Amino acid sequence: MALAKNPILAGFYPDPSICAVGHDFYLVNSTFSYFPGIPVWHSRDLAHWEQIGNVMERESQLPLYGCGHSEGLFAPSIRYDEGTFYVACTNVSGGGSFIVTAADPAGPWSEPYYLEGAAGIDPSLFFDDDGSCYYIGTHPNPEGCRYDGDWYLWIQELDLKTMRLIGKAKDVWHGAMRRVVWPEGPHLYKKNGYYYILYAEGGTESHHAVAVCRSRSILGPYENNPCNPILTHRHLGQSYPIQCVGHGDLVETPSGEWYMVLLATRPLEGCTTLGRETFLARVVWENDWPVVNPGVGRLTSEVRTGLAVWEMEKAEFDGRKCYRFGEMKRLDAAFLFLRNPDRSKYRLCSGEGLRLAYGGCLLTRKASPVYLGLRQRHHCFRAEAVLDLPVSDGETGIALLQNNEYHLRLALIRPKGTEEIVLRVYLCEKGIDHLLAKESVSVNQTDHRAAVRLTLEVRGIAAAVEAYGGCGEAAVLREVDIRSLSTETAGGFAGCTVGLYAAGGCETDPDIIYRSFLYDAEQWNTIK
Ligand code: 6LW
């Protein structure tokens, strides 16, 4: 039987939602200001996952102009009914809550149907046995918020033919605890004649929790589970390695076993750089209530599923991947841009590499800098870029990006009118650049191809920088404190990404050519 290792999706994969279709499981996550939006994962054993696409791949589906780093797409949900997949989500930066549909979860997905009257966030759909469909979400207390986070879970019928909410919205649940904050991320299920709402409360930080209520009728009244919250780590103390446990979704396997996917974090010394990640837990039912990891009551490092091991068609991502751009026909689904990218500034050239255009804005702007990132999926990893000699006095190099105001940049520059190549290491905090190091990189000026190798090594909350110019190795910085690239300092909902960028210089400067980009990790499992 398959053994799932937690987190099942390491790195910035928050707000997981899951559905089963026969023996196949599909899972989605939120992406905020990154593009494309909402990765779609496929698995047959809940342990091994492969990304089969992204839901929001076209600019027409996903306007993100000028949005803040943790704005854009909030928590999506995925459901399947009668041959159609549905993803419901909210673009908090434009359009609000919407539904997209697809016959194949790998895509293409439809244009968004924006839902009039769907205030708030975290939409999810429920298909009842009689063919009706209901929307559930969370919105501010309609009588006025008495305190921050005074929100209500609400349900309304949805007409699938017109994609419009019909009838009346009903506030059904305020939370299990008194004066609770942020009842959110709700999902509806039906089992044994009960409707269940599984949802999060306490806020997505250290008080996060999963709770549940039930009713015989979809519009309530809902009854509190006396065991609520059914899962939280809020009582385990701040030094417990897994924190912020909440925002779950349930799934039933063909043999009738139940599992929950949910988010949690793995901070180091109180610093979360990886963001919120996707975990798995086992669920059993007792007295018509779900019990999570019975006998344990918290997340475990491994979950033995009752499903046969799935031999994935594609090679599994084992923490090491080298992208040789000259050999790639198109970019992997795992790559991320910021907001709405100008695709003409990124060109894959066969036999050569990836050409990034200079002339764009710095990463500090809430715009679309030229940046191509991958999620940081491990506490410890090495990123290595091989590029041709920079020709511009603009910047190019590797960035470790928490958000536009907090990031580390390994910036290669050729100062105007010189033959010199300089590496500047900047730590940007609160939007202000701090120059940590400046080093001349000795390069072979006669060989313009593949002349510079830039390395960023991250070891938890510290980083090191190296540059190699073909004429000698240079450890530029051995120890950079990157604690500020954590959500505790930077705020927001995102995890770090690591990527290649180009900024400044002149529009007419030749592009910079990247030959390869390596992500190499040494898994650091901190769960005891
Ligand atoms: C999301 C909310 C939450 O919409 O955080 O953890 C918000 N839960 O449900 C952003 O991810």
Side-chain angles (χ1 to χ4, degrees), residues 2 42-45 48-50 307-313:
H42 173 227
S43 175
R44 301 200 89 188
D45 63 5
H48 303 93
W49 292 89
E50 115 180 81
L307 296 154
V309 175
W310 178 46
E311 304 293 343
M312 288 168 60
E313 283 161 33

Side-chain angles (χ1 to χ4, degrees), residues 4-136:
K5 297 216 162 105
N6 270 325
I8 52 168
L9 297 174
F12 169 44
Y13 291 109
D15 305 323
S17 172
I18 189 169
C19 72
V21 183
H23 292 271
D24 296 294
F25 301 98
Y26 299 98
L27 187 153
V28 291
N29 302 99
S30 43
T31 41
F32 304 95
S33 56
Y34 283 103
F35 189 98
I38 315 182
V40 186
W41 296 89
H42 173 227
S43 175
R44 301 200 89 188
D45 63 5
L46 297 171
H48 303 93
W49 292 89
E50 115 180 81
Q51 191 184 345
I52 55 171
N54 289 289
V55 174
M56 310 297 272
E57 292 185 295
R58 303 183 299 278
E59 199 173 315
S60 57
Q61 293 171 301
L62 185 54
L64 292 171
Y65 297 100
C67 79
H69 192 80
S70 283
E71 295 173 357
L73 290 182
F74 273 32
S77 60
I78 186 164
R79 292 293 181 261
Y80 172 83
D81 184 60
E82 304 271 337
T84 302
F85 288 87
Y86 295 81
V87 164
C89 190
T90 313
N91 182 346
V92 300
S93 309
S97 290
F98 62 85
I99 294 169
V100 287
T101 61
D104 180 348
W109 288 78
S110 72
E111 289 298 300
Y113 299 96
Y114 291 103
L115 299 172
E116 225 172 278
I121 55 169
D122 296 359
S124 182
L125 301 183
F126 171 71
F127 298 89
D128 211 342
D129 309 328
D130 63 1
S132 54
C133 177
Y134 288 86
Y135 172 107
I136 184 166

Side-chain angles (χ1 to χ4, degrees), residues 14-15 30 32 70 73-76 90 92 121-122 138 182-186 200 203-205 208 244 246-247 263 276 493:
D15 305 323
S30 43
F32 304 95
S70 283
L73 290 182
F74 273 32
T90 313
V92 300
I121 55 169
D122 296 359
T138 183
W182 307 117
E184 61 189 4
T204 196
E205 292 166 355
H208 213 197
C244 306
H247 201 118
L263 74 79
R276 298 169 302 158
F493 298 128

